[in-house]
Amino acid sequence: MSTTDTERAGHLKVLGLNDDEIEVYQHLLRTGPSSITELDDAVPDREHPIDSILSGLVQAGLARRSGSDHSRYLPVPPDAGLEALTLRRESELKQARIDVLNAYDEFRRTVHNESTTHLIEVVTGSAIVERIHQIKGGAQREILAIDSPPYYIGGPNQEEIDHLKRGVAYRVVYSPESVEVPGYLTENILPCVEAGEQARVLPDVPAKLTIIDGSIAYVSMSVRDTEVNRSLLIIRPSSLLTALIGMFELCWRNALPLHASVGTEDDRLEPIERRLLALLATGAADDTIARTLGISRRTFFRYLERLMNRTGASTRFQLALHAARENWL
């Protein structure tokens, strides 16, 4: 087959002809009208019977019968035959496009929608507490949390203390509102910190969030968005879960430590001074700090003045910088 024939064969294949039809059509173009016997002898190496090949060429509009007895075949002028074949091919491609689009729509209606529904679960009312216990109960490695009221579960957090004892790590970012809830610092936060929780505080948290083992999370609005426990979203592995993990890590990097690190104890600080500094770091109001520490407002200011004199700070911001530099927080 010449170079021209080879190039033409490629174009004809694009239009939908098979190799046998291309070979016979090329022979007709070279020799003109030919009988079935002549074509059968001229194109011996083929997969299909010559009758079937010629029928395909006639149907494609590239060949027609000729002679008084219609025993010979000749090629149809290309401007007519190829135009008909091109239009037919375009119609087939359009139909194929429609079929593919319909198949994708069917996919979205079945598999995709079911998958999306499975990835996000909405829990409301009394079922919230039960689902939280179910999810947290399966924790194996690490729980990440952004903590803010309102709370679904009140009282001491014995569940977290039990998790910490069996080796589950906790990293928690608290909102200032958490510290201001009466008794929450002393009954919930500090016992968990003493048990091994890593705690930090951020002046403004974006949401209430808990992530278990990086594989499932539940999220709801913070107290700044709602005063009532209305609903809980449970998120399973997805791009949304990845984004929530990234949001937590960003909050964690920007938060201040809420407790002293192991091995950095400063004997010059009394326990109440450490707690006062930690509360100052949360941004809690003076009255809240005094009430949490169980001291009067006057005593609070006396401790604060003594700390500022000791560090040479003239503002609370300077005091916070010194405390952070000396690892008092």
Side-chain angles (χ1 to χ4, degrees):
M1 186 180 295
S2 67
T3 302
T4 302
D5 287 345
T6 302
E7 293 175 351
R8 187 184 302 119
H11 298 317
L12 290 171
K13 185 168 293 187
V14 170
L15 292 173
L17 270 64
N18 61 44
D19 291 337
D20 289 345
E21 290 170 339
I22 292 171
E23 187 68 25
V24 172
Y25 182 64
Q26 299 259 50
H27 181 78
L28 288 173
L29 291 176
R30 289 192 298 269
T31 63
S34 303
S35 67
I36 293 179
T37 302
E38 290 171 342
L39 291 170
D40 192 25
D41 294 337
V43 188
D45 298 327
R46 61 181 189 274
E47 296 182 8
H48 303 90
I50 192 65
D51 290 342
S52 174
I53 297 171
L54 289 169
S55 176
L57 290 174
V58 171
Q59 187 175 4
L62 293 178
R64 67 178 179 84
R65 292 177 181 271
S66 67
S68 58
D69 59 355
H70 300 290
S71 62
R72 302 179 72 78
Y73 288 83
L74 77 162
V76 171
D79 58 345
L82 292 179
E83 179 67 18
L85 185 60
T86 301
L87 291 175
R88 185 176 295 110
R89 187 62 172 169
E90 288 178 354
S91 176
E92 292 173 355
L93 290 173
K94 288 179 181 178
Q95 185 59 49
R97 179 176 179 273
I98 292 172
D99 290 342
V100 171
L101 290 175
N102 288 339
Y104 183 73
D105 287 340
E106 183 68 21
F107 162 76
R108 290 198 304 175
R109 286 195 300 269
T110 55
V111 178
H112 184 68
N113 280 353
E114 290 178 3
S115 177
T116 301
T117 302
H118 175 70
L119 294 177
I120 302 177
E121 175 186 351
V122 181
V123 184
T124 59
S126 59
I128 290 177
V129 174
E130 180 181 355
R131 292 294 283 122
I132 288 177
H133 281 307
Q134 288 175 343
I135 295 171
K136 293 182 72 173
Q140 299 295 321
R141 297 179 289 101
E142 181 182 50
I143 292 182
L144 313 176
I146 298 176
D147 184 284
S148 175
Y151 294 107
Y152 303 109
I153 304 171
N157 193 348
Q158 187 60 44
E159 181 181 42
E160 177 178 337
I161 294 175
D162 292 340
H163 281 168
L164 288 165
K165 288 180 180 178
R166 65 181 177 86
V168 178
Y170 271 75
R171 286 192 288 151
V172 183
V173 176
Y174 290 96
S175 68
E177 291 83 3
S178 300
V179 180
E180 293 178 354
V181 173
Y184 192 73
L185 177 70
T186 55
E187 296 177 9
N188 193 304
I189 298 177
L190 292 181
C192 290
V193 169
E194 293 172 359
E197 174 193 292
Q198 297 181 64
R200 295 186 180 184
V201 64
L202 193 65
D204 188 17
V205 299
K208 288 166 59 69
L209 170 67
T210 302
I211 304 168
I212 292 87
D213 293 336
S215 61
I216 191 170
Y218 56 87
V219 62
S220 61
M221 290 184 290
S222 69
V223 71
R224 298 186 183 185
D225 302 310
T226 180
E227 296 180 356
V228 181
N229 301 334
R230 297 186 182 277
S231 62
L232 186 77
L233 293 181
I234 298 175
I235 314 297
R236 294 179 175 82
S238 60
S239 57
L240 177 56
L241 178 60
T242 302
L244 291 174
I245 294 173
M247 183 183 74
F248 171 84
E249 295 295 350
L250 182 62
C251 291
W252 180 259
R253 287 196 298 270
N254 287 280
L256 291 173
L258 188 58
H259 60 287
S261 301
V262 176
T264 60
E265 290 280 348
D266 190 324
D267 294 335
R268 294 176 298 168
L269 289 180
E270 299 177 14
I272 193 171
E273 291 175 323
R274 288 186 176 281
R275 293 178 60 189
L276 187 150
L277 285 171
L279 289 167
L280 281 175
T282 69
D286 294 348
D287 289 340
T288 300
I289 295 175
R291 184 175 63 251
T292 302
L293 294 176
I295 58 179
S296 67
R297 185 179 176 86
R298 178 179 298 180
T299 303
F300 161 73
F301 281 112
R302 188 166 64 247
Y303 275 116
L304 180 60
E305 182 181 9
R306 187 165 68 181
L307 285 169
M308 294 181 73
N309 290 336
R310 181 184 305 173
T311 60
S314 58
T315 65
R316 294 189 183 191
F317 180 71
Q318 290 177 344
L319 175 61
L321 287 178
H322 182 88
R325 186 169 57 248
E326 296 298 324
N327 218 354
W328 287 355
L329 295 175

